């Protein structure tokens, strides 16, 4: 049977999440310096984060600014400082990928998908199971981005 996730070339790095203290200040480098375009800024209430989206090729950089200290990004910055926060990999079937990872004993933060920025289906894989990288999975074709 054809496995939709069999070919890794079907997958892509959908975005890279960068934790910043202030989106306005970070734009001085990412937009004004590097030259990326700021497409939009969205607040994801569920995660307590403001997200600035800057497309780059088929992918995008997401600047993540916490809306408070007791949020995932707020805690991350308090502990590790600003910097690369997570890598988002787009898959064709997020439920199947989560089941596969779970079956392999990989620690998941989200056992089932939830709604992330832009209305996309997303789920996070714990860095303990990936060699230290927080991985976000998203399903192709979901959300409005
Ligand atoms: Zn993300």
């Amino acid at each position: 049977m054809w496995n939709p996730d069999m070919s890794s070339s079907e997958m892509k790095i959908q975005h890279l999440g960068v934790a910043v203290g202030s989106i306005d200040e970070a734009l001085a480098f990412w937009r004004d310096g590097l030259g990326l375009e700021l497409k939009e800024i969205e607040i994801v209430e569920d995660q307590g984060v403001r997200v600035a989206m800057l497309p780059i090729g088929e992918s995008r950089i997401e600047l993540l600014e916490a809306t408070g200290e007791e949020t995932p990004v707020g805690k991350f910055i308090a502990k590790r400082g600003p910097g690369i926060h997570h890598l988002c990999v787009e898959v064709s079937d997020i439920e199947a990928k989560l089941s596969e990872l779970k079956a392999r004993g990989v620690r998941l933060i989200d056992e089932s998908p939830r709604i992330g920025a832009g209305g996309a289906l997303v789920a996070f894989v714990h860095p303990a199971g990936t060699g230290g990288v927080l991985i976000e999975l998203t399903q192709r074709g979901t959300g409005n981005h």
Side-chain angles (χ1 to χ4, degrees), residues 40-113:
E40 64 176 314
I41 296 182
E42 177 181 338
I43 293 181
V44 184
E45 300 280 359
D46 181 44
Q47 286 291 293
V49 73
R50 279 178 79 218
V51 183
M53 301 179 184
L54 298 93
I56 178 165
E58 283 199 326
S59 186
R60 65 178 191 250
I61 303 290
E62 288 192 357
L63 304 177
L64 312 168
E65 178 190 292
T67 58
E69 287 176 12
E70 291 301 310
T71 59
V73 171
K75 289 179 189 166
F76 177 92
I77 288 179
K79 195 172 164 190
R80 302 175 62 168
I84 291 179
H85 180 262
H86 69 270
L87 194 63
C88 180
V89 175
E90 184 180 282
V91 299
S92 57
D93 184 339
I94 195 169
E95 298 265 12
K97 186 57 76 184
L98 287 170
S99 305
E100 189 185 325
L101 291 172
K102 198 176 173 187
R104 288 174 174 274
V106 175
R107 186 168 157 196
L108 304 174
I109 292 174
D110 300 304
E111 300 233 332
S112 51

